[in-house]
Amino acid sequence: MVKVNGRNLVEKVIHLEDVSLVDFFGVENRNLRQITQAFPQTKIISRGSELRIQGNTAEIVRINELINSLLECYNKFGKITPENIEAYLNEQKEEWAAQSQDEEIILHGTKGEPIKPRTANQRKMVEAAMKNDMVFALGPAGTGKTYLAVALAVRALKNKQVKKIIITRPAVEAGENLGFLPGDLKEKIDPYLRPVYDALEEMIPPEKLKFYQERNIIEVAPIAFMRGRTLNNAFVLVDEAQNTTAGQMKMILTRLGPNSKMIVTGDKSQIDLPCRQQSGLLEAIRILQGVEGISFVELQERDVVRHKLVKHIIAAYERHESNNQP
């Protein structure tokens, strides 16, 4: 691993033995420049018979494949031409494109369907979660915030990157009072967590999900239950965070322990707190801007992946609210 311009990059060194560098790299390194232009995100340095490549793992693998193909061509014909390089690049582009699509897949659902980001902003959310330990995913209903967050958490658990998943949310919903609902606390909370359960059931077989829940490997609970805990080796999802109070938000954010990740999802347009109570999500967005290791991703109405009418409904409400602001 090397650090270039503040970025951590993977480095690979290829030794070109028994190769005429002029015949392989071309006059004045013309062939090498052509390869470098094909991979603008990667740094390729030639020092004698040593080729040093610095970049992300996926591009390094592709460059290594290309160099191996060119070496076969060189051993057969004694030199490499720009046409050879273009031919090999074109030949491998389709294969690389297919690999890139596979790389986007977060995991496969219980019916075998691939679960992956479907819009540019959803990809930003996934990339942010890969690079940061805390991500705020903000946007209107239907943009896939919760679904993608659950998928990332399940993948981390399956890959043994974490030991448990903790999904929590404030017990506030459209002004309703939990005390008037029948049943114990779990039965009162569960209906509000239905979207989370729906996502989990699409990604984990029923018996496995039951096993995880019985052993608290997957824990779903209201935010009030998080007080005083340190959440180690966990993937934490804070859902419907716009309905947290300032105190609740500070409390849950500071529960994060070693080897843990947290995704906070919320919709700034659907705050159900009493009028005089400030949303902890809005306060956190203001306070935490610029903090290293925390990323903010905004999803828009164009990222809605529900029925096409949902986009128009959201847009109509936004216009109405904009026109009626005091």
Side-chain angles (χ1 to χ4, degrees):
M1 186 78 72
V2 294
K3 198 158 191 173
V4 178
N5 297 329
R7 294 188 303 156
N8 287 323
L9 302 177
V10 177
E11 182 176 74
K12 180 176 178 61
V13 178
I14 300 174
H15 296 282
L16 302 170
E17 299 176 357
D18 301 322
V19 171
S20 166
L21 298 180
V22 173
D23 291 330
F24 191 81
F25 288 136
V27 177
E28 297 180 346
N29 285 335
R30 181 175 58 179
N31 296 343
L32 182 60
R33 286 200 302 274
Q34 187 178 355
I35 295 170
T36 302
Q37 288 168 3
F39 299 94
Q41 302 300 317
T42 305
K43 190 172 184 179
I44 304 174
I45 306 163
S46 173
R47 290 177 182 165
S49 62
E50 183 181 272
L51 196 63
R52 195 174 292 271
I53 310 168
Q54 299 170 349
N56 64 62
T57 303
E59 285 213 346
I60 287 178
V61 168
R62 292 166 185 169
I63 294 169
N64 191 50
E65 290 174 357
L66 177 63
I67 296 298
N68 288 336
S69 298
L70 293 173
L71 283 171
E72 289 179 13
C73 181
Y74 172 84
N75 291 330
K76 187 173 181 180
F77 299 106
K79 67 174 183 178
I80 297 297
T81 67
E83 289 74 24
N84 295 142
I85 296 171
E86 190 63 32
Y88 280 111
L89 284 171
N90 289 334
E91 182 181 315
Q92 294 177 342
K93 272 178 183 174
E94 286 188 12
E95 182 183 339
W96 292 342
Q99 288 175 355
S100 295
Q101 289 180 356
D102 289 341
E103 287 166 8
E104 282 194 340
I105 296 174
I106 301 172
L107 75 163
H108 287 85
T110 53
K111 297 178 181 178
E113 72 281 8
I115 297 171
K116 60 184 180 180
R118 293 167 59 182
T119 70
N121 284 329
Q122 286 186 355
R123 289 187 189 92
K124 286 181 183 177
M125 176 182 166
V126 173
E127 289 169 5
M130 299 298 291
K131 296 175 182 176
N132 299 276
D133 287 337
M134 185 176 291
V135 174
F136 285 76
L138 314 168
T143 50
K145 307 180 301 293
T146 299
Y147 192 79
L148 284 177
V150 172
L152 289 165
V154 172
R155 181 175 69 175
L157 182 64
K158 287 186 174 181
N159 291 343
K160 302 189 186 305
Q161 295 169 334
V162 297
K163 293 183 178 178
K164 66 187 308 180
I165 296 171
I166 297 173
I167 303 171
T168 185
R169 64 172 290 174
V172 175
E173 191 69 25
E176 295 168 8
N177 192 320
L178 289 173
F180 291 99
L181 296 175
D184 59 21
L185 184 58
K186 182 180 184 303
E187 291 169 328
K188 294 173 189 285
I189 293 293
D190 276 358
Y192 296 148
L193 294 164
R194 193 65 252 170
V196 173
Y197 285 121
D198 287 345
L200 287 171
E201 287 165 4
E202 285 190 31
M203 300 172 197
I204 303 174
E207 288 303 314
K208 192 75 170 177
L209 180 56
K210 183 179 178 183
F211 171 86
Y212 283 152
Q213 289 183 286
E214 287 174 349
R215 285 157 179 78
N216 281 334
I217 295 171
I218 294 180
E219 182 181 348
V220 185
I223 279 182
F225 282 29
M226 300 295 115
R227 191 172 297 278
R229 298 178 60 181
T230 301
L231 308 177
N232 299 331
N233 301 301
F235 200 115
V236 185
L237 167 57
V238 184
D239 196 34
E240 297 290 344
Q242 74 274 6
N243 288 328
T244 59
T245 64
Q248 285 176 329
M249 179 59 76
K250 182 181 177 183
M251 180 273 290
I252 190 62
L253 295 181
T254 54
R255 298 307 93 200
L256 198 65
N259 194 37
S260 292
K261 279 183 174 284
M262 180 180 288
I263 296 182
V264 180
T265 66
D267 180 355
K268 293 182 286 186
S269 69
Q270 291 191 349
I271 297 173
D272 298 311
L273 292 167
C275 292
R276 295 182 181 179
Q277 201 160 29
Q278 184 183 25
S279 167
L281 176 64
L282 299 184
E283 182 182 74
I285 292 169
R286 289 195 301 271
I287 292 173
L288 300 177
Q289 291 290 338
V291 175
E292 187 176 355
I294 300 178
S295 179
F296 295 84
V297 180
E298 290 270 2
L299 293 100
Q300 312 293 337
E301 64 181 69
R302 63 176 178 271
D303 298 301
V304 171
V305 291
R306 292 179 181 169
H307 192 286
K308 62 183 179 181
L309 273 177
V310 176
K311 292 182 182 181
H312 302 312
I313 292 169
I314 291 170
Y317 270 92
E318 286 179 349
R319 286 194 301 271
H320 172 77
E321 289 165 5
S322 177
N323 292 336
N324 287 278
Q325 282 183 352

